[in-house]
Amino acid sequence: MTAPLFVGCAGWSLPREHWPAFVGEGTHLQRYASRFNAVEINSSFYRPHLSKTYERWAQSVPSTFRFSVKVPKRITHELRLQRCETALDEFLEHCLQLREKLGCLLIQLAPSLSYEPAIASAFFTVLRQRFVGTVVLEPRHASWLEAEVMLQDFEIGRVAADPAVIETGGVPGGWRGVSYWRLHGSPRIYHSAYGPERVQAFAQALLQASNAGIPTWCIFDNTASGHATPDALSLLDLYAQHLQA
């Protein structure tokens, strides 16, 4: 059975030159959600959002739309996954107001944060006591490749990142109940466009996962020069062609 393919960008800012591809009325988020069925909220990494803000966002989008929310740097970079119960409770109290439209939590680790089994196990235990939904991890220290079994045990997917910063980091790992791609832009991270040919190559991998029954995400994070939107629209066109074939 084919699983959902969630396509979107890191944030819902729309470059002016691509406005004609979206409906003309509504908030930026409403216009964005007229084409895309997912978005990654990165601002939550830097600052908290109020519960009523998450509620408003959830009410602004269609029932099939899903949010991926990035876990705060207070947890991942400052506390480094330790003694973070209070910070985690505060974060979840707010973002859970997305309700059924909360599709995923994204945990991006600092490049200097190595894999310590006892610390990782304690953190994932605390997290799973509070949240049973989809969680993905983007580690950036090579030692986390040793965590594959633990990630499977806690049902945590490992992000496929481009460009990959660890060996095999360019393909999904960990728990195979989710496939999550973060395309940051390469060769110039956050800036470079992927273009039709490279989007086509990613589309094949994404469709393979979706056709295998794995809920699949593709988030374009090459937003700095405005290329995320056209790349994501290109992927949507390819997906539509696949559905019609």
Side-chain angles (χ1 to χ4, degrees):
M1 180 181 296
T2 301
L5 174 59
F6 297 106
V7 177
C9 305
W12 50 79
S13 176
L14 299 174
R16 182 178 293 272
E17 62 268 28
H18 298 291
W19 284 5
F22 301 84
V23 299
E25 302 295 328
T27 66
H28 289 295
L29 176 56
Q30 288 171 327
R31 295 172 64 206
Y32 170 98
S34 71
R35 293 296 307 274
F36 299 124
N37 66 348
V39 73
E40 190 178 88
I41 300 176
N42 277 205
S43 54
S44 55
F45 178 76
Y46 300 100
R47 64 184 185 279
H49 297 298
L50 297 175
S51 294
K52 64 180 181 182
T53 300
Y54 284 109
E55 290 175 356
R56 184 176 73 250
W57 289 340
Q59 293 166 1
S60 298
V61 297
S63 61
T64 55
F65 191 94
R66 294 294 181 266
F67 293 86
S68 174
V69 185
K70 194 172 182 179
V71 171
K73 67 176 182 178
R74 172 66 178 159
I75 294 170
T76 57
H77 289 53
E78 297 173 13
L79 296 173
R80 299 173 73 85
L81 308 184
Q82 300 182 74
R83 298 180 297 279
C84 54
E85 289 88 343
T86 299
L88 188 58
D89 285 339
E90 292 173 351
F91 167 65
L92 290 173
E93 177 186 358
H94 299 307
C95 74
L96 287 177
Q97 300 310 309
L98 291 170
R99 304 191 187 282
E100 73 279 1
K101 292 172 185 174
L102 173 55
C104 187
L105 294 183
L106 165 67
I107 305 169
Q108 185 188 54
L109 301 181
S112 62
L113 186 58
S114 61
Y115 173 55
E116 298 289 343
I119 293 173
S121 178
F123 172 74
F124 291 135
T125 297
V126 166
L127 175 61
R128 281 309 189 195
Q129 289 170 345
R130 292 158 169 78
F131 183 74
V132 298
T134 301
V135 179
V136 295
L137 177 75
E138 185 177 10
R140 291 183 288 174
H141 191 283
S143 61
W144 280 89
L145 293 175
E146 301 171 12
E148 290 295 287
V149 173
M150 179 179 291
L151 294 179
Q152 293 167 16
D153 290 342
F154 283 98
E155 298 189 349
I156 309 290
R158 179 166 56 77
V159 168
D162 183 77
V165 295
I166 61 175
E167 187 178 358
T168 74
V171 294
W175 183 53
R176 296 317 312 272
V178 62
S179 180
Y180 196 106
W181 299 73
R182 295 191 84 212
L183 306 183
H184 299 295
S186 62
R188 189 182 179 198
I189 192 168
Y190 306 130
H191 287 271
S192 292
Y194 283 97
E197 291 185 5
R198 286 202 289 171
V199 169
Q200 172 75 53
F202 282 117
Q204 293 176 357
L206 294 163
L207 291 172
Q208 183 177 9
S210 176
N211 289 337
I214 302 172
T216 301
W217 291 68
C218 184
I219 298 295
F220 287 89
D221 190 30
N222 54 334
T223 57
S225 294
H227 294 303
T229 299
D231 282 340
L233 288 171
S234 178
L235 178 57
L236 281 185
D237 290 340
L238 291 170
Y239 185 49
Q241 294 171 19
H242 169 77
L243 294 177
Q244 295 169 3

